[in-house]
Amino acid sequence: MQTLVSRLRTSFALGAFVALFFSMAVSPVNADDGKVGWKDGFSLRTSTDTAEFRVGGRIQLDSAFIATSHEMRAANGSPVTDHFGFRRARLYIDITLHKHVEMRHEIETSRGNLQFADAYVGLKGGPAGLGLRLGHFKEPFGLEEMTSANFHPFLERSVGNAFAPVRNLGAMVYMDKIHDSKITAWLGVFRTADDKGLFGDDMTESKDTDYSLTGRITAAPLLENGGEKIFHLGFGYSRREYHSNTTSLSTRPETGFFYLTTPAGPGTPPVPPAARVNGTILNTGDIATASGNVQWGQLFGFEGAVGIGPVSLRSEYHLNMLDTATGNRYFYGFHALGSVFLTGEHHPYARGRFVRPKPKTAAFDDGIGAIELALRYSRLDLNDGPVTGGHVNTFGVALNWYLNPNTRFGANYIHAHTSRTGTPVSGQRVPGYVNAVVARFQVDI
């Protein structure tokens, strides 16, 4: 009965959302009332610019083919060798009132019920881009994390990004137009929200009421033609409290789908598909068990990027320091990425992050669109003292075909080699590898 009610509630909410969209998109609009426009998404604006309404969303449909080593199968259970499903399916509404008051509501619809992605209100457009944001949104940390998943050369962020905080409840002030938007600064206080979905967040407050102070500053001393030439540097910092006196660290092998059939370990009967969990290839388990109580931690992020025409290079290094009862524990993640547009485009850049690529021509219209090739190396190390979460090195190749600014076919090959698999056990170190081919069809506005 509860499942039926949940589905009815989801269907009603989606129906109301779609009805609102179409009522505003197709209703007659005259010159006195305002105008309907398009800029990578639908918008409705009053003639006096006192209000603007934007609506859009994304569909990311993935096919994943995964093979693992014998050692990993023995330690961790065989991941499903293939998968087909929605990586993300989201709808959003943006509203701006009197040019300076904003509201955003983005919901995830791909898991059978509604979950919040972004849900915030704020003020914007002050001197040097001064703004205030309140609600549920991303903590400002890292170039890879702050760049939308829609616009990454790779379909998934790197294992080196595992420490970056995601969406939480908070309040943030920022300035994103310092020196013609070549400098940005962000600082916020956040309260951890439970992550109950496979890939996203919801609005349930954590029972442990963990708090964090997170900030990021970026500078682009060279910025020409919206990123055709770019030199970017950035630094992020986060101070995090752990009121439960523990935490854990883990990662998947740069694939959105990595389901385990026997997550409890060797000798365990396979679980039915409905009960399978999205697994990990590295996992420290409860760090307090190995190293004593964890009261607080610090994240340090260093980022850089260079772009000259169709060629771009990006790299980040993240250091995670945890204060435990037996001393400080240090873990790190790193990635380096290079990409080239074979058709001559570049990755646009704005306000401290990369934004939507724009093909010079549209496929099936006046050209072939844009074609991009990218390579990436990343590493994550979760070993320090008594904490032996293992380490992983990954190598990836990406091929993207941008049919137009809103449509992409992407394919990734990922090879990940790790020193540990399965639930951590004292003294157990089982090496293994994962080979994955992932393809995605993406439409976003």
Side-chain angles (χ1 to χ4, degrees):
M1 184 63 181
Q2 289 181 344
T3 301
L4 177 60
V5 172
S6 176
R7 290 179 178 176
L8 288 173
R9 185 169 61 243
T10 298
S11 300
F12 176 79
L14 286 176
F17 188 100
V18 173
L20 176 62
F21 162 60
F22 279 106
S23 68
M24 300 195 72
V26 305
S27 296
V29 179
N30 57 47
D32 294 330
D33 294 331
K35 59 183 178 180
V36 174
W38 170 270
K39 187 178 180 182
D40 301 322
F42 293 103
S43 66
L44 175 63
R45 177 180 297 177
T46 62
S47 59
T48 57
D49 287 339
T50 56
E52 181 181 7
F53 173 93
R54 291 178 58 87
V55 64
R58 70 179 78 174
I59 293 285
Q60 295 175 344
L61 190 61
D62 285 12
S63 294
F65 305 88
I66 301 174
T68 62
S69 63
H70 173 76
E71 296 90 348
M72 183 170 286
R73 289 195 298 271
N76 222 15
S78 298
V80 174
T81 55
D82 57 3
H83 190 90
F84 180 72
F86 292 105
R87 178 61 174 88
R88 296 179 181 90
R90 294 179 182 173
L91 295 168
Y92 76 82
I93 296 174
D94 278 340
I95 297 176
T96 300
L97 300 174
H98 301 280
K99 299 182 181 181
H100 298 290
V101 180
E102 65 173 348
M103 181 186 80
R104 183 178 178 90
H105 187 182
E106 184 177 30
I107 53 176
E108 177 72 53
T109 64
S110 63
R111 301 177 204 120
N113 57 3
L114 299 181
Q115 289 183 309
F116 288 99
D118 285 331
Y120 62 78
V121 294
L123 302 174
K124 65 177 183 178
L130 177 65
L132 169 69
R133 188 167 295 172
L134 305 167
H136 186 254
F137 51 90
K138 280 190 176 182
E139 298 187 33
F141 190 93
L143 176 62
E144 192 175 23
E145 188 62 43
M146 296 304 292
T147 297
S148 170
N150 292 338
F151 313 140
H152 275 288
F154 278 79
L155 303 182
E156 301 293 337
R157 295 180 175 92
S158 70
V159 296
N161 193 63
F163 305 137
V166 288
R167 291 177 173 88
N168 281 309
L169 295 162
M172 180 178 71
V173 294
Y174 62 91
M175 299 177 73
D176 60 3
K177 294 183 179 180
I178 306 172
H179 194 48
D180 295 328
S181 297
K182 292 183 178 181
I183 298 175
T184 72
W186 315 69
L187 182 65
V189 178
F190 298 87
R191 182 176 182 177
T192 303
D194 287 335
D195 184 355
K196 293 185 177 180
L198 291 177
F199 312 118
D201 311 294
D202 65 17
M203 294 292 287
T204 305
E205 293 182 1
S206 170
K207 63 182 179 181
D208 299 320
T209 61
D210 295 339
Y211 287 90
S212 60
L213 174 68
T214 304
R216 177 176 181 247
I217 185 169
T218 71
L222 173 64
L223 178 58
E224 297 181 5
N225 194 25
E228 188 170 10
K229 291 184 179 180
I230 173 70
F231 176 53
H232 161 97
L233 293 172
F235 173 74
Y237 174 80
S238 183
R239 162 78 182 223
R240 315 189 71 81
E241 304 289 340
Y242 299 102
H243 290 260
S244 61
N245 293 323
T246 190
T247 188
S248 63
L249 304 170
S250 63
T251 190
R252 295 189 303 272
E254 298 182 355
T255 64
F257 301 105
F258 191 68
Y259 290 117
L260 303 183
T261 57
T262 55
T268 304
V271 297
R276 292 173 183 170
V277 297
N278 210 23
T280 61
I281 54 171
L282 295 187
N283 195 330
T284 62
D286 188 336
I287 289 180
T289 301
S291 192
N293 286 349
V294 182
Q295 294 186 349
W296 59 274
Q298 297 183 86
L299 295 176
F300 302 88
F302 305 89
E303 57 192 69
V306 177
I308 301 177
V311 178
S312 65
L313 302 173
R314 313 177 195 179
S315 184
E316 287 189 73
Y317 177 88
H318 293 175
L319 177 66
N320 189 352
M321 188 201 79
L322 297 178
D323 177 66
T324 76
T326 59
N328 291 338
R329 303 297 167 209
Y330 298 90
F331 312 99
Y332 72 89
F334 166 83
H335 89 270
L337 181 153
S339 75
V340 57
F341 277 95
L342 304 180
T343 45
E345 291 81 0
H346 67 277
H347 274 281
Y349 173 97
R351 302 178 186 179
R353 65 194 122 188
F354 289 97
V355 294
R356 183 184 303 276
K358 301 290 183 68
K360 294 181 178 180
T361 61
F364 311 119
D365 187 2
D366 54 356
I368 62 170
I371 298 176
E372 178 188 27
L373 178 66
L375 303 175
R376 182 173 69 189
Y377 166 74
S378 55
R379 177 179 173 86
L380 179 66
D381 194 320
L382 302 183
N383 291 326
D384 188 18
V387 181
T388 54
H391 65 262
V392 61
N393 295 284
T394 70
F395 303 87
V397 180
L399 180 64
N400 295 303
W401 178 26
Y402 301 89
L403 285 74
N404 52 60
N406 302 94
T407 310
R408 171 173 76 158
F409 281 106
N412 289 181
Y413 167 72
I414 302 296
H415 174 80
H417 191 276
T418 176
S419 69
R420 175 184 293 286
T421 61
T423 303
V425 177
S426 179
Q428 178 189 8
R429 301 189 64 80
V430 182
Y433 66 80
V434 175
N435 288 317
V437 176
V438 184
R440 173 175 296 170
F441 180 52
Q442 171 182 305
V443 179
D444 71 279
I445 60 174

